[in-house]
Amino acid sequence: MGRQWAANLAACKDVTLAGWLDIQPGAAMQSSHELGIEVGYTGEDLEQALAELRPDFLVDVTVPEAHHDITLAALAAGVPVLGEKAMADSMERARAMVAASERTGVLYMVSQSRRYQAQLQALRHLIVEHIGALGILNADFYLGPHFGGFREEMPSPLLLDMAIHTFDAARYLSGADPIAVYCERIQSTLELVSRPGRRDSDLRDERWVALYLSRKLVCGRAYYLLGE
């Protein structure tokens, strides 16, 4: 994700990539060299970079566990933050990030671009121009992806990391904001194939099944109560 964001920012004529930091030592410099992107500053010290570069905004594409500290440091320095989902690794930390933005008056927003896909744009147009007010909106999700990285450590990546796409699509298509959300997750037992080195005892634990089985079918369903 960091490399994708860096490439997009570097390609934007209205943006100058002033600095690239990574929580892994040397990773930012290596990535910038491999992508052929010129960056004035690379490193790991966020507070030093904020003080020296004084950027117009910061894009946070780190793992969810790091979002809280990075966001609070940037907001305290008066730097707006565009973050990635998942917003944080706990509700307590997520609320602290929102509170910091409100306290400092500095913008903090989480990237969500799924609503700009052509298919959803077309469906929204169909609803507005031909269908009218919705009585019910359903979305079922059937997929068993393995992206690698931090998502492999999540107890339920479908809900914690990926469900935001469906949440935002529901808001966009309905033109309403949610006032209540109920989520349900089902782990199928189809095609259970363990990964190398995984013990049989792990497979009896639903948590490990969700994380370490390949070619599985995961079903997710979210229910929304939408208001005007």
Side-chain angles (χ1 to χ4, degrees):
M1 290 293 292
R3 289 182 172 224
Q4 293 175 1
W5 268 103
N8 290 336
L9 291 170
C12 181
K13 62 182 180 60
D14 297 322
V15 174
T16 298
L17 197 57
W20 188 347
L21 286 81
D22 197 291
I23 58 178
Q24 298 293 333
M29 179 178 293
Q30 178 182 346
S31 295
S32 64
H33 287 167
E34 291 177 354
L35 294 176
I37 298 176
E38 293 186 8
V39 184
Y41 181 101
T42 59
E44 299 84 46
D45 193 326
L46 176 61
E47 293 187 1
Q48 178 184 356
L50 291 171
E52 293 183 5
L53 300 175
R54 301 183 62 83
D56 295 319
F57 65 94
L58 179 148
V59 179
D60 180 11
V61 202
T62 57
V63 295
E65 291 81 0
H67 290 175
H68 173 271
D69 293 349
I70 290 173
T71 299
L72 264 59
L75 296 178
V79 178
V81 177
L82 173 59
E84 263 288 356
K85 50 89 178 170
M87 183 175 172
D89 58 344
S90 71
M91 284 299 298
E92 180 181 7
R93 287 188 146 199
R95 291 190 179 102
M97 294 156 70
V98 173
S101 176
E102 294 174 344
R103 183 174 62 253
T104 60
V106 181
L107 177 65
Y108 169 59
M109 62 185 296
V110 179
S111 171
Q112 180 48 246
S113 57
R114 185 63 62 90
R115 63 170 59 196
Y116 299 108
Q117 287 188 341
Q119 298 93 326
L120 287 177
Q121 294 275 317
L123 182 54
R124 172 62 178 167
H125 177 77
L126 179 66
I127 292 171
V128 172
E129 298 296 328
H130 301 285
I131 298 177
L134 298 179
I136 189 170
L137 181 62
N138 293 328
D140 289 327
F141 189 106
Y142 298 92
L143 194 62
H146 280 286
F147 299 110
F150 69 87
R151 293 177 181 86
E152 297 294 319
E153 303 300 323
M154 283 183 167
S156 184
L158 176 60
L159 293 180
L160 295 177
D161 185 66
M162 300 172 67
I164 182 60
H165 293 307
T166 306
F167 292 169
D168 189 64
R171 293 177 60 218
Y172 174 65
L173 294 175
S174 65
D177 289 322
I179 56 177
V181 177
Y182 166 75
C183 296
E184 177 180 281
R185 174 184 173 277
I186 303 169
Q187 172 65 48
S188 172
T189 57
L190 298 178
E191 297 189 65
L192 298 185
V193 181
S194 63
R195 290 188 173 182
R198 193 56 50 195
R199 303 186 306 273
D200 289 342
S201 59
D202 292 334
L203 302 183
R204 290 193 293 269
D205 184 333
E206 182 181 2
R207 179 183 57 185
W208 290 111
V209 169
L211 293 178
Y212 294 108
L213 296 182
S214 61
R215 305 186 70 83
K216 64 182 181 299
L217 177 64
V218 179
C219 310
R221 177 168 292 167
Y223 303 89
Y224 311 89
L225 180 59
L226 298 167
E228 296 298 325

